[in-house]
Amino acid sequence: MPQMHNSQSSALDWVARQWKRIGLALVIVAAIVLAFSIHHRSVQAAILRADPDQILGDPNLRDAALASGKSVFDRHCASCHGADGQGNQDRGIPNFTDEDHLYGTGTVSEIEQIARYGIRAYNKRGWTLASMPAYASAIPYASEPLPSQTPKQIEDLTQFLLSFTARSTDAAAALRGKDQYVAAGCWDCHGHSGEGDDAVGAPVLTDNIWLYGGSHDDIHRSIAKGRAGYSPAFAKKLSAAELRTVSVYVASLAATKPSSRKAQ
Amino acid sequence: MSAIDTPSSPSLWNPSEVKPRRSLILCAIGAVLGLLIAGYGLFTAQGTRIAGVSPENAATVNGIPILRADLIQQVSSLYAVSYAQATPAQKHKALDDMIREELHVQRGVEMGLPNDDIDVRTALVGASDAQVAQDTLTEQPTEQDLRAWYAAHPDTYSNDGLMTLHEWIYSGTADGAAKAAAGLRGGALASSLGLKTSGRVDDGEEFYFAARIHLGPALFATARKMRGGDVSAPFKARDGFHILQMISNAPPVPTPYEKARDAVLRDFQAEKVKRLQAANDRFLTKRADIKIASDLK
């Protein structure tokens, strides 16, 4: 009996030692998790307190923001904008990797504004000022009286726009299109020289960057049927930190970084 | 033996022995951990009123946050400079304005303006509906859903048809009009048949929508079915007999899905928004305690 008692006692001692080791290991893991969490939160707080347009220029904040931002991008943006952020011209999804920006100039704060409040996303703080009229319809634009265009006039306008990149196939039509550009009210958003207006999301018409494709048929269709893409408002879906870091990540995709553009 | 194996009270942690002190210590550790977790949740939850200002906010007014991002936007809009270029005075001015706005919003709610002020009420109805729409737009439909929508609305995603035609008016009798129509079919010149143009479709090729407006629904319905070279029967009207002579008629051509996808997505989401807003109305009505006067039931 004493022998049995001794063996039972040593087994219980062994169990006790294992529990202590497990307990210690758990405490160490908890401490590491806590330390990591505190560090993570302090970095996130620093990112949130920083001027968003300066984050890409700060190596400490930049790396943390990009790592976190990519993860947010993959979960919430990549399904439309593509994993590489190059968009999709067939679908009117903008390319984040070029230097062209439809709304604003591509700064982190402007991108964050779009991510938070959207474009035509039913949020009054978002970008909702204008959209492309559908000129081949009885009422091209609901909020402003604009004249419908005949098929010939739409073709003339198309030739005029193609002429900016030396692709017009009908010089006379392009010349008529120049007058029609004024008569149809295109200048109101796109400017008298087709320079565009990033305050209302009106693209530059003189370069060869096209949101919905730049072929004759694509341009013709944009004029005839109109365009009104949207970007969702993630204000209620993403946290402030997620919105900030994903905006930093998106800004970093552009060939020319916003921080350097601001300095120019 | 390691330190871990040498507790200060060797028998305290021996599981084979019942130790009330050990139970108390474990209970205390559990309670402290529970309190820590609860406190963490309590003081970090969104919208929690705490003494400090959380990093994403520029200020809080009675616990309601003013976002830094909104302040940055406000400064940029007001002074047309980047936030970094704005002076401290400009930043303070913008923040003061935003705090003032928040104070007045809260005061307005306190005074019951949502009940009294028609503009506030209109804005709240719009904002409440808009919130449903915003939530809807953050969810992307599947390609399958979009293709099904496209297939169910073939007329919506087609080019408008094109037609070029003449609309002639004959001022004489019905027999004369019939003879004139026959003459047109035979290739005679309109002027030689006593026909005059109505002037409504003389601009050359036009879209169906424009032809419908110019001709009116009845004549357009006839014109739509005509082919190039066809001449219609005369239509009696107040100003004489109208005869349509079709030069060319190109019916609408469906736009391929890939080219129409942006419009399909827009329409699909707009319909979904409408549906969810209607569902929201039903939900609000269902959960509300609405009593209607007996004479109005």
Side-chain angles (χ1 to χ4, degrees):
Chain A
M1 277 300 279
Q3 269 184 354
M4 209 173 146
H5 179 76
N6 281 344
S7 127
Q8 194 181 19
S9 170
S10 71
L12 286 171
D13 284 348
W14 183 84
V15 169
R17 281 199 302 275
Q18 296 311 309
W19 273 112
K20 282 176 206 163
R21 287 197 177 108
I22 290 168
L24 186 63
L26 283 174
V27 168
I28 290 169
V29 168
I32 291 170
V33 169
L34 187 66
F36 179 78
S37 171
I38 289 170
H39 174 71
H40 180 69
R41 288 179 73 86
S42 71
V43 172
Q44 295 252 299
I47 290 171
L48 284 168
R49 287 198 181 98
D51 176 352
D53 298 330
Q54 307 298 319
I55 292 174
L56 279 172
D58 181 329
N60 293 328
L61 297 183
R62 177 195 157 93
D63 292 347
L66 290 183
S68 167
K70 181 172 185 342
S71 151
V72 179
F73 183 89
D74 290 344
R75 277 180 284 131
H76 297 282
C77 315
S79 61
C80 287
H81 290 281
D84 52 6
Q86 292 197 347
N88 183 331
Q89 215 170 48
D90 278 342
R91 297 177 181 185
I93 312 284
N95 182 355
F96 290 149
T97 64
D98 63 19
E99 294 172 31
D100 195 62
H101 300 278
L102 199 54
Y103 291 90
T105 54
T107 62
V108 174
S109 54
E110 288 165 343
I111 294 169
E112 189 177 337
Q113 178 82 356
I114 293 172
R116 178 173 273 114
Y117 300 124
I119 296 167
R120 298 187 195 95
Y122 299 88
N123 189 309
K124 288 184 179 171
R125 287 180 166 174
W127 299 85
T128 53
L129 274 178
S131 56
M132 176 69 197
Y135 280 106
S137 57
I139 302 170
Y141 197 52
S143 48
E144 191 183 331
L146 289 174
S148 300
Q149 299 293 292
T150 67
K152 184 166 169 288
Q153 287 167 332
I154 290 176
E155 177 58 26
D156 290 349
L157 281 166
T158 306
Q159 289 295 334
F160 174 57
L161 298 192
L162 287 169
S163 72
F164 284 117
T165 44
R167 294 183 295 143
S168 169
T169 52
D170 183 341
L175 205 60
R176 289 194 302 273
K178 189 177 180 183
D179 293 334
Q180 207 54 37
Y181 180 83
V182 176
C186 311
W187 59 274
D188 199 10
C189 288
H190 294 283
H192 283 283
S193 311
E195 69 272 22
D197 184 355
D198 62 38
V200 296
V204 175
L205 300 175
T206 55
D207 61 18
N208 205 14
I209 300 174
W210 301 92
L211 183 58
Y212 290 93
S215 70
H216 172 279
D217 289 354
D218 290 331
I219 296 171
H220 193 281
R221 186 177 141 66
S222 291
I223 299 170
K225 292 295 217 179
R227 303 287 188 183
Y230 74 89
S231 182
F234 285 101
K236 296 273 166 80
K237 189 156 184 172
L238 299 180
S239 70
E242 287 175 317
L243 286 163
R244 173 64 52 83
T245 56
V246 77
S247 306
V248 173
Y249 176 73
V250 169
S252 78
L253 296 175
T256 304
K257 303 293 176 273
S259 52
S260 55
R261 269 204 306 279
K262 280 264 165 187
Q264 284 165 3
Chain B
M1 202 176 232
S2 66
I4 194 171
D5 295 326
T6 334
S8 54
S9 176
S11 58
L12 182 64
W13 300 104
N14 187 343
S16 62
E17 292 177 32
V18 176
K19 293 284 179 187
R21 195 175 154 211
R22 183 178 64 210
S23 304
L24 279 174
I25 291 171
L26 286 173
C27 278
I29 292 171
V32 169
L33 274 175
L35 281 173
L36 284 174
I37 292 168
Y40 179 82
L42 188 65
F43 292 110
T44 57
Q46 200 169 15
T48 307
R49 290 182 68 162
I50 51 171
V53 177
S54 50
E56 69 267 31
N57 297 329
T60 61
V61 181
N62 296 321
I64 303 297
I66 292 175
L67 284 175
R68 277 176 192 272
D70 288 344
L71 173 65
I72 290 167
Q73 182 64 25
Q74 182 82 344
V75 168
S76 303
S77 303
L78 275 177
Y79 302 110
V81 292
S82 72
Y83 191 66
Q85 290 166 326
T87 64
Q90 288 173 324
K91 291 176 187 173
H92 284 132
K93 171 77 173 62
L95 184 57
D96 286 348
D97 288 349
M98 294 175 81
I99 289 173
R100 182 176 181 277
E101 179 189 273
E102 183 55 43
L103 285 170
H104 279 269
V105 168
Q106 291 182 20
R107 179 64 180 145
V109 171
E110 228 170 50
M111 291 192 301
L113 291 188
N115 293 328
D116 305 335
D117 188 292
I118 190 71
D119 291 337
V120 175
R121 293 176 70 82
T122 308
L124 278 174
V125 171
S128 170
D129 263 347
Q131 190 54 57
V132 175
Q134 278 177 58
D135 296 344
T136 308
L137 292 193
T138 55
E139 302 296 334
Q140 292 301 305
T142 63
E143 282 302 300
Q144 201 180 359
D145 288 341
L146 293 180
R147 284 187 183 277
W149 175 272
Y150 171 80
H153 301 83
D155 294 342
T156 311
Y157 306 108
S158 301
N159 292 332
D160 207 5
L162 296 165
M163 60 172 66
T164 311
L165 75 165
H166 294 299
E167 185 191 27
W168 304 112
I169 298 179
Y170 182 78
S171 307
T173 62
D175 282 349
K179 279 180 191 158
L184 281 176
R185 287 189 197 103
L189 285 175
S191 54
S192 69
L193 299 168
L195 295 169
K196 281 190 271 185
T197 178
S198 71
R200 299 195 294 186
V201 286
D202 288 349
D203 290 340
E205 189 178 49
E206 59 184 0
F207 290 114
Y208 272 18
F209 80 86
R212 189 182 293 113
I213 293 168
H214 293 150
L215 295 172
L219 282 179
F220 174 73
T222 301
R224 187 171 182 162
K225 292 174 196 156
M226 294 167 69
R227 288 184 294 186
D230 285 355
V231 174
S232 74
F235 291 85
K236 177 91 175 83
R238 247 182 273 170
D239 55 350
F241 290 91
H242 289 231
I243 301 168
L244 302 179
Q245 183 178 21
M246 187 62 67
I247 309 300
S248 66
N249 184 5
V253 178
T255 307
Y257 171 76
E258 275 306 327
K259 291 290 174 191
R261 191 186 177 280
D262 65 301
V264 173
L265 175 63
R266 190 179 61 211
D267 296 346
F268 179 91
Q269 293 288 55
E271 179 60 30
K272 192 173 164 192
V273 164
K274 266 192 214 164
R275 216 170 49 240
L276 290 179
Q277 285 175 337
N280 190 44
D281 284 349
R282 286 195 299 275
F283 166 73
L284 292 176
T285 307
K286 193 176 170 187
R287 75 167 189 180
D289 176 21
I290 302 171
K291 292 187 175 69
I292 297 173
S294 55
D295 60 313
L296 296 172
K297 277 180 184 169

